[in-house]
Amino acid sequence: MNITEQADFSKSEDGLLPAIIQDAQTKNVLMLGYMNLEALEKTMTSKKVTFYSRSKKRLWTKGEESGNFLVLKSIELDCDQDTFLVQVNPHGPTCHKGTDTCWGNENESNFGFLSELERIIESRKNSTSEKSYVASLFESGINKIAQKVGEEAVEVVIEAKDENDDLFLNESADLLFHYLILLKAKGFSLKAIEQVLLERSNKNK
């Protein structure tokens, strides 16, 4: 049974089911729209996300006027078969106001606590009122930071050969922490590394 047969449009009086639009790469929610069966079928065949516009009273392909299409990657139903999760590759801003999302947020990759850690490192680097280990590393210069990354990398290799998982994980955390500092010292972030890996992956497809 395909998704057009699974979707339970009878649960809605107007035959419309909500469609949550999510960036397939960043996993950020971009917008919320509504689909009827015809919109779902057109989305599946054209690979461009199409909604039923409640204001225009017709099918509406996102980007038909602006060119900012939402290219379909996958579409799933929730456990009750009455809500779609649509993963897309957005071509341009999603919101009609020109923002990446309909909530005004930037559609950037988020690495969870690692992104928060990057922000903490940035604040410590720029702080003039407090002295911290991170600030002292930046004051010492790129050679000292690179040396620390090398030292932590050696520690990870050593612990990898032993059976103490706690020590291995702790040394791995130290290595990652200092690598984030090195990235920041070079003017980069995890996002830049992600982009390199994505480009390599796309070349191998």
Side-chain angles (χ1 to χ4, degrees):
M1 183 182 297
N2 60 42
I3 197 167
T4 57
E5 297 171 324
Q6 291 175 324
D8 192 353
F9 291 97
S10 67
K11 290 187 175 181
S12 171
E13 291 183 2
D14 54 10
L16 300 177
L17 296 181
I20 301 167
I21 309 302
Q22 181 184 43
D23 188 302
Q25 179 180 318
T26 66
K27 304 306 178 185
N28 292 324
V29 174
L30 304 178
M31 66 172 290
L32 173 70
Y34 291 87
M35 290 182 177
N36 58 10
L37 178 57
E38 189 179 359
L40 174 61
E41 290 175 337
K42 185 173 181 180
T43 296
M44 299 293 289
T45 55
S46 70
K47 303 303 180 184
K48 294 178 180 177
V49 177
T50 298
F51 304 100
Y52 182 83
S53 172
R54 295 175 297 173
S55 58
K56 299 176 182 178
K57 306 297 182 184
R58 64 171 177 83
L59 294 187
W60 165 62
T61 298
K62 176 69 179 73
E64 63 185 23
E65 296 179 358
S66 66
N68 298 328
F69 294 104
L70 298 173
V71 178
L72 180 68
K73 294 295 291 183
S74 68
I75 185 167
E76 303 173 47
L77 275 166
D78 72 344
C79 56
D80 292 321
Q81 286 77 53
D82 61 1
T83 302
F84 298 109
L85 177 61
V86 186
Q87 296 205 21
V88 304
N89 283 335
H91 288 194
T94 296
C95 184
H96 68 283
K97 293 185 176 181
T99 55
D100 289 348
T101 80
C102 287
W103 289 269
N105 301 320
E106 291 186 2
N107 184 24
E108 294 185 343
S109 297
N110 189 301
F111 304 99
F113 176 68
L114 292 182
S115 292
E116 177 63 24
L117 188 55
E118 285 189 307
R119 288 189 285 271
I120 293 172
I121 290 171
E122 176 73 20
S123 67
R124 298 283 172 82
K125 174 187 176 183
N126 296 328
S127 177
T128 57
S129 60
E130 63 175 292
K131 292 294 182 181
S132 65
Y133 173 69
V134 172
S136 68
L137 278 179
F138 281 112
E139 289 175 2
S140 298
I142 192 70
N143 289 341
K144 179 62 176 179
I145 297 172
Q147 178 186 337
K148 285 298 298 182
V149 172
E151 292 172 357
E152 298 301 341
V154 171
E155 292 294 333
V156 168
V157 172
I158 293 172
E159 296 303 335
K161 296 180 179 181
D162 293 332
E163 301 298 326
N164 192 320
D165 291 342
D166 285 341
L167 285 177
F168 171 71
L169 291 175
N170 274 280
E171 293 298 344
S172 297
D174 287 344
L175 173 58
L176 181 54
F177 175 68
H178 286 88
Y179 178 62
L180 290 177
I181 295 174
L182 180 60
L183 277 177
K184 184 64 65 176
K186 295 291 292 182
F188 297 109
S189 66
L190 284 174
K191 184 178 180 181
I193 303 304
E194 179 193 43
Q195 186 59 42
V196 172
L197 293 173
L198 283 170
E199 291 173 359
R200 290 181 183 178
S201 177
N202 291 333
K203 288 180 181 178
N204 294 327
K205 288 183 179 178

